[in-house]
């Protein structure tokens, strides 16, 4: 069975500091991994994805994520946080052997203070 | 501009009433999805459709129904059998098979009980 976990409900960081939002997954086959961001009362916006290839994936708005197969993790990172990065972030996974649709994590609220 | 349009933005349901949420896309995407979002629970899949006149149940399909008569339209009906319908409903679409490509989301419909 496929599953995804975001162990932190909230992450707080000061503007200009690096940020990390954690995601771990469990699949039977190979994972398709995605990060999305949601602003209040809006739909989700795609940030980046990992299907295969380079373990470091670069996405929109300066975000990047590192795929770590041995730790089954796909943490979202940004070298220097902005106040405007404050939002709800979702990690999602699909198992290429078993899943037919994306499974979303419960989300992590990122709060960037000025 | 291409995108996904959900309407209405806010909807109120009376006891015993069925209500229909609209979702239209002009992205020429094959696949469309309906998700339910509750605070702290992430997104849960209600139904998805890979092609016109075909759709599959997601994890929480009970009390909901859908149709896919046109490629660009995927309406969701919340029936009176859904006893706890208050939530934020999100429609999405994507190229290709579910979970392989990024999903594009509408801005949601917030459903409440009168």
């Amino acid at each position: 069975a496929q599953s995804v976990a975001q162990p932190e409900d909230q992450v707080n960081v000061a503007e200009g500091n690096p940020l990390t939002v954690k995601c771990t997954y469990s699949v039977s086959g190979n994972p398709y991994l995605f990060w999305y961001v949601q602003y209040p009362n809006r739909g989700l916006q795609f940030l980046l994805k990992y299907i295969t290839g380079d373990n470091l994936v670069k996405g929109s708005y300066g975000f990047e994520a590192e795929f770590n197969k041995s730790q089954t993790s796909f943490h979202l990172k940004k070298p220097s946080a902005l106040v405007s990065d404050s939002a709800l972030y979702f990690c999602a996974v699909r198992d290429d052997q078993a899943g037919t649709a994306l499974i979303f994590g419960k989300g992590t609220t990122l709060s960037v203070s000025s | 501009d291409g995108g996904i349009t959900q309407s209405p933005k806010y909807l109120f349901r009376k006891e015993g009433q069925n209500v229909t949420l609209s979702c239209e896309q002009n992205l020429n995407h094959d696949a469309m999805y309906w998700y339910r979002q509750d605070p702290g629970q992430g997104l849960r899949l209600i139904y998805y459709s890979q092609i016109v006149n075909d759709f599959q149940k997601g994890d929480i399909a009970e009390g909901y129904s859908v149709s896919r008569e046109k490629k660009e339209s995927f309406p969701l009906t919340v029936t009176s059998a859904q006893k706890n319908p208050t939530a934020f409903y999100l429609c999405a679409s994507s190229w290709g098979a579910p979970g392989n490509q990024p999903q594009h989301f509408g801005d949601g419909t917030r459903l409440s009980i009168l």
Side-chain angles (χ1 to χ4, degrees):
Chain A
Q2 57 184 357
S3 66
V4 61
Q6 295 181 241
E8 300 157 318
D9 290 336
Q10 179 146 349
V11 170
N12 299 308
V13 64
E15 188 173 31
N17 284 359
L19 69 88
T20 298
V21 183
K22 296 179 180 178
C23 173
T24 59
Y25 65 90
S26 175
V27 297
S28 302
N30 295 309
Y32 292 1
L33 292 155
F34 299 81
W35 275 103
Y36 290 85
V37 61
Q38 184 181 34
Y39 297 98
N41 297 311
R42 301 296 301 276
L44 278 65
Q45 297 177 29
F46 168 73
L47 283 177
L48 50 81
K49 69 175 182 180
Y50 172 85
I51 304 296
T52 186
D54 195 349
N55 289 346
L56 185 63
V57 179
K58 293 189 182 296
S60 306
Y61 312 119
F63 284 94
E64 58 189 28
E66 186 169 10
F67 172 66
N68 188 317
K69 188 172 183 177
S70 63
Q71 296 186 7
T72 61
S73 67
F74 190 56
H75 300 332
L76 181 70
K77 299 182 180 184
K78 188 173 182 181
S80 179
L82 300 172
V83 172
S84 57
D85 292 330
S86 299
L88 183 57
Y89 290 80
F90 289 99
C91 181
V93 67
R94 185 179 87 84
D95 184 341
D96 74 340
Q97 296 296 317
T100 55
L102 282 179
I103 300 296
F104 284 83
K106 293 186 176 182
T108 298
T109 299
L110 173 66
S111 178
V112 181
S113 57
S114 57
Chain B
D1 285 341
I4 298 181
T5 301
Q6 290 188 242
S7 62
K9 193 170 180 65
Y10 299 95
L11 186 59
F12 297 91
R13 196 191 86 170
K14 295 179 181 179
E15 194 75 30
Q17 185 182 40
N18 293 351
V19 292
T20 297
L21 284 60
S22 171
C23 178
E24 303 279 333
Q25 55 102 355
N26 60 3
L27 299 166
N28 200 31
H29 286 168
D30 296 309
M32 296 187 75
Y33 318 79
W34 274 106
Y35 293 93
R36 170 177 171 145
Q37 185 177 13
D38 297 281
Q41 295 195 44
L43 275 68
R44 292 182 290 168
L45 183 64
I46 305 172
Y47 271 97
Y48 67 97
S49 168
Q50 298 187 58
I51 196 170
V52 172
N53 292 323
D54 184 56
F55 46 83
Q56 288 78 42
K57 292 182 179 180
D59 299 320
I60 55 165
E62 186 175 350
Y64 301 96
S65 66
V66 293
S67 63
R68 186 89 186 273
E69 297 178 0
K70 300 185 297 182
K71 186 175 184 179
E72 56 270 23
S73 179
F74 192 41
L76 173 74
T77 296
V78 184
T79 75
S80 57
Q82 172 50 246
K83 297 307 180 187
N84 183 23
T86 298
F88 191 49
Y89 291 86
L90 288 164
C91 179
S93 69
S94 70
W95 291 107
N100 285 8
Q101 298 296 333
Q103 295 181 11
H104 296 250
F105 284 80
D107 279 339
T109 292
R110 192 167 297 280
L111 177 62
S112 302
I113 297 296
L114 278 179

